[in-house]
Short mmCIF file of all heavy atoms in Angstrom, two decimals:
data_model
loop_
_atom_site.label_atom_id
_atom_site.label_comp_id
_atom_site.label_asym_id
_atom_site.label_seq_id
_atom_site.Cartn_x
_atom_site.Cartn_y
_atom_site.Cartn_z
N ILE A 55 91.62 -169.47 -21.13
CA ILE A 55 92.22 -170.62 -21.81
C ILE A 55 92.61 -170.25 -23.25
O ILE A 55 93.09 -171.08 -24.00
CB ILE A 55 91.29 -171.85 -21.80
CG1 ILE A 55 89.94 -171.55 -22.47
CG2 ILE A 55 91.12 -172.38 -20.39
CD1 ILE A 55 89.06 -172.78 -22.67
N ASN A 56 92.44 -168.98 -23.58
CA ASN A 56 92.81 -168.48 -24.89
C ASN A 56 94.33 -168.49 -25.03
O ASN A 56 95.04 -167.95 -24.17
CB ASN A 56 92.26 -167.05 -25.08
CG ASN A 56 92.68 -166.43 -26.38
OD1 ASN A 56 93.77 -165.88 -26.47
ND2 ASN A 56 91.83 -166.53 -27.38
N GLU A 57 94.82 -169.12 -26.08
CA GLU A 57 96.27 -169.28 -26.26
C GLU A 57 97.00 -167.94 -26.34
O GLU A 57 98.11 -167.80 -25.83
CB GLU A 57 96.57 -170.12 -27.50
CG GLU A 57 96.22 -171.58 -27.33
CD GLU A 57 96.58 -172.41 -28.55
OE1 GLU A 57 97.44 -171.99 -29.34
OE2 GLU A 57 95.98 -173.49 -28.70
N ASP A 58 96.38 -166.95 -26.99
CA ASP A 58 97.02 -165.64 -27.10
C ASP A 58 97.12 -164.96 -25.74
O ASP A 58 98.14 -164.33 -25.42
CB ASP A 58 96.27 -164.75 -28.09
CG ASP A 58 96.39 -165.26 -29.52
OD1 ASP A 58 97.46 -165.80 -29.87
OD2 ASP A 58 95.42 -165.11 -30.29
N LEU A 59 96.06 -165.07 -24.93
CA LEU A 59 96.12 -164.48 -23.59
C LEU A 59 97.18 -165.19 -22.76
O LEU A 59 97.97 -164.53 -22.07
CB LEU A 59 94.77 -164.56 -22.87
CG LEU A 59 94.89 -163.99 -21.44
CD1 LEU A 59 94.83 -162.48 -21.46
CD2 LEU A 59 93.88 -164.58 -20.53
N ILE A 60 97.21 -166.50 -22.83
CA ILE A 60 98.20 -167.26 -22.06
C ILE A 60 99.61 -166.86 -22.48
O ILE A 60 100.49 -166.63 -21.63
CB ILE A 60 97.97 -168.78 -22.20
CG1 ILE A 60 96.67 -169.18 -21.48
CG2 ILE A 60 99.17 -169.57 -21.65
CD1 ILE A 60 96.21 -170.59 -21.76
N ARG A 61 99.84 -166.74 -23.78
CA ARG A 61 101.16 -166.34 -24.27
C ARG A 61 101.53 -164.95 -23.74
O ARG A 61 102.63 -164.71 -23.27
CB ARG A 61 101.17 -166.37 -25.80
CG ARG A 61 102.51 -166.12 -26.42
CD ARG A 61 102.57 -166.31 -27.94
NE ARG A 61 101.31 -166.30 -28.67
CZ ARG A 61 100.63 -167.40 -29.05
NH1 ARG A 61 101.09 -168.59 -28.76
NH2 ARG A 61 99.49 -167.29 -29.71
N HIS A 62 100.57 -164.02 -23.81
CA HIS A 62 100.84 -162.67 -23.32
C HIS A 62 101.05 -162.66 -21.80
O HIS A 62 101.96 -162.01 -21.31
CB HIS A 62 99.70 -161.72 -23.71
CG HIS A 62 99.97 -160.31 -23.31
ND1 HIS A 62 100.96 -159.55 -23.91
CD2 HIS A 62 99.41 -159.52 -22.36
CE1 HIS A 62 100.99 -158.36 -23.35
NE2 HIS A 62 100.06 -158.32 -22.40
N ALA A 63 100.22 -163.41 -21.09
CA ALA A 63 100.34 -163.47 -19.63
C ALA A 63 101.72 -164.01 -19.23
O ALA A 63 102.36 -163.48 -18.30
CB ALA A 63 99.23 -164.35 -19.06
N LYS A 64 102.17 -165.03 -19.93
CA LYS A 64 103.50 -165.59 -19.65
C LYS A 64 104.60 -164.56 -19.93
O LYS A 64 105.57 -164.47 -19.18
CB LYS A 64 103.73 -166.86 -20.47
CG LYS A 64 102.90 -168.04 -19.97
CD LYS A 64 102.85 -169.19 -20.94
CE LYS A 64 104.12 -169.96 -21.02
NZ LYS A 64 103.97 -171.20 -21.84
N SER A 65 104.42 -163.78 -20.98
CA SER A 65 105.45 -162.77 -21.31
C SER A 65 105.47 -161.66 -20.27
O SER A 65 106.54 -161.12 -19.94
CB SER A 65 105.26 -162.21 -22.71
OG SER A 65 104.17 -161.32 -22.77
N VAL A 66 104.31 -161.32 -19.72
CA VAL A 66 104.27 -160.30 -18.66
C VAL A 66 105.00 -160.81 -17.42
O VAL A 66 105.82 -160.09 -16.83
CB VAL A 66 102.80 -159.90 -18.32
CG1 VAL A 66 102.75 -159.05 -17.06
CG2 VAL A 66 102.17 -159.18 -19.50
N VAL A 67 104.72 -162.04 -17.02
CA VAL A 67 105.39 -162.60 -15.85
C VAL A 67 106.88 -162.76 -16.12
O VAL A 67 107.71 -162.54 -15.23
CB VAL A 67 104.74 -163.93 -15.41
CG1 VAL A 67 105.54 -164.60 -14.31
CG2 VAL A 67 103.32 -163.66 -14.94
N SER A 68 107.24 -163.07 -17.34
CA SER A 68 108.65 -163.15 -17.70
C SER A 68 109.33 -161.79 -17.54
O SER A 68 110.47 -161.70 -17.06
CB SER A 68 108.79 -163.65 -19.15
OG SER A 68 110.13 -163.73 -19.52
N ALA A 69 108.62 -160.72 -17.92
CA ALA A 69 109.16 -159.37 -17.75
C ALA A 69 109.31 -159.02 -16.27
O ALA A 69 110.30 -158.40 -15.87
CB ALA A 69 108.28 -158.34 -18.46
N VAL A 70 108.33 -159.43 -15.46
CA VAL A 70 108.44 -159.20 -14.01
C VAL A 70 109.65 -159.97 -13.48
O VAL A 70 110.45 -159.43 -12.69
CB VAL A 70 107.16 -159.64 -13.26
CG1 VAL A 70 107.37 -159.58 -11.75
CG2 VAL A 70 105.97 -158.77 -13.67
N ASN A 71 109.81 -161.20 -13.92
CA ASN A 71 110.95 -162.01 -13.50
C ASN A 71 112.26 -161.33 -13.86
O ASN A 71 113.18 -161.24 -13.04
CB ASN A 71 110.86 -163.40 -14.15
CG ASN A 71 111.88 -164.35 -13.59
OD1 ASN A 71 111.89 -164.63 -12.40
ND2 ASN A 71 112.77 -164.85 -14.45
N LYS A 72 112.34 -160.82 -15.07
CA LYS A 72 113.56 -160.13 -15.53
C LYS A 72 113.82 -158.90 -14.68
O LYS A 72 114.96 -158.63 -14.28
CB LYS A 72 113.41 -159.75 -17.01
CG LYS A 72 114.62 -159.10 -17.61
CD LYS A 72 115.72 -160.11 -17.78
CE LYS A 72 116.86 -159.49 -18.57
NZ LYS A 72 118.07 -160.29 -18.46
N ALA A 73 112.76 -158.12 -14.39
CA ALA A 73 112.91 -156.92 -13.57
C ALA A 73 113.41 -157.28 -12.17
O ALA A 73 114.30 -156.61 -11.63
CB ALA A 73 111.60 -156.16 -13.50
N VAL A 74 112.83 -158.33 -11.59
CA VAL A 74 113.26 -158.76 -10.25
C VAL A 74 114.73 -159.18 -10.28
O VAL A 74 115.51 -158.82 -9.39
CB VAL A 74 112.36 -159.90 -9.71
CG1 VAL A 74 112.96 -160.52 -8.44
CG2 VAL A 74 110.95 -159.38 -9.44
N GLU A 75 115.12 -159.91 -11.32
CA GLU A 75 116.52 -160.33 -11.46
C GLU A 75 117.46 -159.14 -11.59
O GLU A 75 118.62 -159.21 -11.20
CB GLU A 75 116.69 -161.24 -12.68
CG GLU A 75 116.12 -162.62 -12.52
CD GLU A 75 116.20 -163.45 -13.79
OE1 GLU A 75 116.56 -162.91 -14.87
OE2 GLU A 75 115.89 -164.65 -13.72
N MET A 76 116.97 -158.04 -12.14
CA MET A 76 117.81 -156.87 -12.39
C MET A 76 117.89 -155.91 -11.20
O MET A 76 118.63 -154.93 -11.24
CB MET A 76 117.31 -156.11 -13.63
CG MET A 76 117.46 -156.92 -14.90
SD MET A 76 116.70 -156.12 -16.34
CE MET A 76 117.99 -154.94 -16.78
N LEU A 77 117.13 -156.20 -10.14
CA LEU A 77 117.24 -155.38 -8.93
C LEU A 77 118.61 -155.62 -8.32
O LEU A 77 118.97 -156.75 -8.02
CB LEU A 77 116.14 -155.76 -7.93
CG LEU A 77 114.71 -155.42 -8.31
CD1 LEU A 77 113.73 -156.03 -7.32
CD2 LEU A 77 114.53 -153.91 -8.39
N GLY A 78 119.37 -154.60 -8.17
CA GLY A 78 120.72 -154.76 -7.63
C GLY A 78 121.42 -153.41 -7.55
O GLY A 78 120.78 -152.36 -7.53
N GLU A 79 122.72 -153.46 -7.54
CA GLU A 79 123.52 -152.25 -7.40
C GLU A 79 123.35 -151.29 -8.58
O GLU A 79 123.14 -150.10 -8.40
CB GLU A 79 125.01 -152.62 -7.24
CG GLU A 79 125.33 -153.36 -5.97
CD GLU A 79 125.11 -152.53 -4.71
OE1 GLU A 79 125.45 -151.33 -4.72
OE2 GLU A 79 124.58 -153.09 -3.73
N ASP A 80 123.45 -151.83 -9.78
CA ASP A 80 123.38 -151.00 -10.98
C ASP A 80 121.98 -151.11 -11.58
O ASP A 80 121.64 -152.10 -12.23
CB ASP A 80 124.43 -151.45 -12.00
CG ASP A 80 124.43 -150.62 -13.28
OD1 ASP A 80 123.75 -149.56 -13.31
OD2 ASP A 80 125.10 -151.02 -14.25
N LEU A 81 121.17 -150.08 -11.36
CA LEU A 81 119.79 -150.10 -11.84
C LEU A 81 119.63 -149.50 -13.23
O LEU A 81 118.52 -149.55 -13.79
CB LEU A 81 118.88 -149.37 -10.84
CG LEU A 81 118.76 -150.03 -9.47
CD1 LEU A 81 117.93 -149.17 -8.54
CD2 LEU A 81 118.18 -151.43 -9.58
N ASP A 82 120.69 -148.98 -13.81
CA ASP A 82 120.59 -148.35 -15.13
C ASP A 82 120.01 -149.28 -16.20
O ASP A 82 119.14 -148.87 -16.96
CB ASP A 82 121.94 -147.79 -15.59
CG ASP A 82 122.34 -146.54 -14.81
OD1 ASP A 82 121.47 -145.95 -14.13
OD2 ASP A 82 123.52 -146.16 -14.88
N PRO A 83 120.46 -150.54 -16.29
CA PRO A 83 119.86 -151.43 -17.30
C PRO A 83 118.36 -151.66 -17.07
O PRO A 83 117.59 -151.72 -18.02
CB PRO A 83 120.65 -152.73 -17.15
CG PRO A 83 121.93 -152.35 -16.49
CD PRO A 83 121.60 -151.18 -15.61
N LEU A 84 117.96 -151.75 -15.82
CA LEU A 84 116.55 -151.94 -15.50
C LEU A 84 115.75 -150.70 -15.88
O LEU A 84 114.68 -150.81 -16.50
CB LEU A 84 116.37 -152.25 -14.01
CG LEU A 84 114.93 -152.41 -13.51
CD1 LEU A 84 114.21 -153.51 -14.27
CD2 LEU A 84 114.93 -152.70 -12.00
N VAL A 85 116.26 -149.54 -15.57
CA VAL A 85 115.58 -148.28 -15.92
C VAL A 85 115.42 -148.18 -17.43
O VAL A 85 114.34 -147.84 -17.94
CB VAL A 85 116.34 -147.06 -15.35
CG1 VAL A 85 115.84 -145.75 -15.95
CG2 VAL A 85 116.23 -147.04 -13.83
N THR A 86 116.47 -148.51 -18.17
CA THR A 86 116.42 -148.48 -19.63
C THR A 86 115.34 -149.44 -20.15
O THR A 86 114.54 -149.07 -21.02
CB THR A 86 117.79 -148.84 -20.22
OG1 THR A 86 118.75 -147.87 -19.76
CG2 THR A 86 117.77 -148.84 -21.74
N MET A 87 115.31 -150.65 -19.61
CA MET A 87 114.33 -151.65 -20.03
C MET A 87 112.91 -151.16 -19.72
O MET A 87 112.01 -151.26 -20.56
CB MET A 87 114.58 -152.98 -19.33
CG MET A 87 113.58 -154.06 -19.72
SD MET A 87 113.70 -155.58 -18.72
CE MET A 87 112.59 -155.19 -17.38
N LEU A 88 112.69 -150.64 -18.53
CA LEU A 88 111.35 -150.21 -18.12
C LEU A 88 110.86 -149.02 -18.93
O LEU A 88 109.69 -148.96 -19.31
CB LEU A 88 111.33 -149.88 -16.62
CG LEU A 88 111.52 -151.08 -15.69
CD1 LEU A 88 111.67 -150.61 -14.25
CD2 LEU A 88 110.39 -152.08 -15.83
N LYS A 89 111.75 -148.07 -19.21
CA LYS A 89 111.35 -146.92 -20.02
C LYS A 89 110.96 -147.36 -21.43
O LYS A 89 109.97 -146.88 -21.99
CB LYS A 89 112.46 -145.87 -20.07
CG LYS A 89 112.54 -145.06 -18.78
CD LYS A 89 113.56 -143.94 -18.90
CE LYS A 89 113.51 -143.05 -17.68
NZ LYS A 89 114.47 -141.93 -17.78
N ALA A 90 111.72 -148.29 -21.99
CA ALA A 90 111.39 -148.81 -23.33
C ALA A 90 110.06 -149.55 -23.31
O ALA A 90 109.25 -149.42 -24.24
CB ALA A 90 112.51 -149.73 -23.82
N LEU A 91 109.81 -150.31 -22.27
CA LEU A 91 108.56 -151.03 -22.12
C LEU A 91 107.38 -150.06 -22.00
O LEU A 91 106.32 -150.27 -22.60
CB LEU A 91 108.64 -151.94 -20.90
CG LEU A 91 107.75 -153.16 -20.81
CD1 LEU A 91 107.83 -154.02 -22.05
CD2 LEU A 91 108.11 -153.97 -19.57
N GLY A 92 107.57 -149.00 -21.24
CA GLY A 92 106.53 -147.98 -21.11
C GLY A 92 106.22 -147.32 -22.43
O GLY A 92 105.06 -147.14 -22.80
N LYS A 93 107.26 -146.99 -23.18
CA LYS A 93 107.07 -146.37 -24.50
C LYS A 93 106.34 -147.32 -25.45
O LYS A 93 105.44 -146.92 -26.18
CB LYS A 93 108.43 -145.98 -25.07
CG LYS A 93 108.35 -145.19 -26.35
CD LYS A 93 109.74 -144.72 -26.77
CE LYS A 93 109.66 -143.85 -27.99
NZ LYS A 93 109.58 -142.43 -27.68
N LYS A 94 106.70 -148.59 -25.41
CA LYS A 94 106.08 -149.60 -26.27
C LYS A 94 104.58 -149.72 -25.98
O LYS A 94 103.78 -149.91 -26.89
CB LYS A 94 106.78 -150.94 -26.05
CG LYS A 94 106.23 -152.10 -26.84
CD LYS A 94 107.00 -153.37 -26.52
CE LYS A 94 106.41 -154.56 -27.21
NZ LYS A 94 107.10 -155.81 -26.84
N HIS A 95 104.20 -149.62 -24.71
CA HIS A 95 102.80 -149.82 -24.34
C HIS A 95 101.88 -148.66 -24.75
O HIS A 95 100.67 -148.85 -24.79
CB HIS A 95 102.69 -150.11 -22.84
CG HIS A 95 102.96 -151.55 -22.53
ND1 HIS A 95 104.22 -152.08 -22.52
CD2 HIS A 95 102.11 -152.57 -22.25
CE1 HIS A 95 104.15 -153.36 -22.24
NE2 HIS A 95 102.88 -153.69 -22.08
#
Side-chain angles (χ1 to χ4, degrees):
I55 59 171
N56 176 276
E57 288 182 23
D58 292 326
L59 177 80
I60 291 169
R61 186 173 18 262
H62 184 68
K64 288 166 73 172
S65 75
V66 170
V67 173
S68 180
V70 172
N71 189 60
K72 183 72 172 165
V74 170
E75 288 175 351
M76 294 173 81
L77 292 172
E79 294 294 320
D80 181 10
L81 295 176
D82 288 345
L84 177 58
V85 168
T86 299
M87 180 189 89
L88 293 172
K89 283 185 173 181
L91 203 52
K93 187 174 184 93
K94 178 180 176 184
H95 278 76

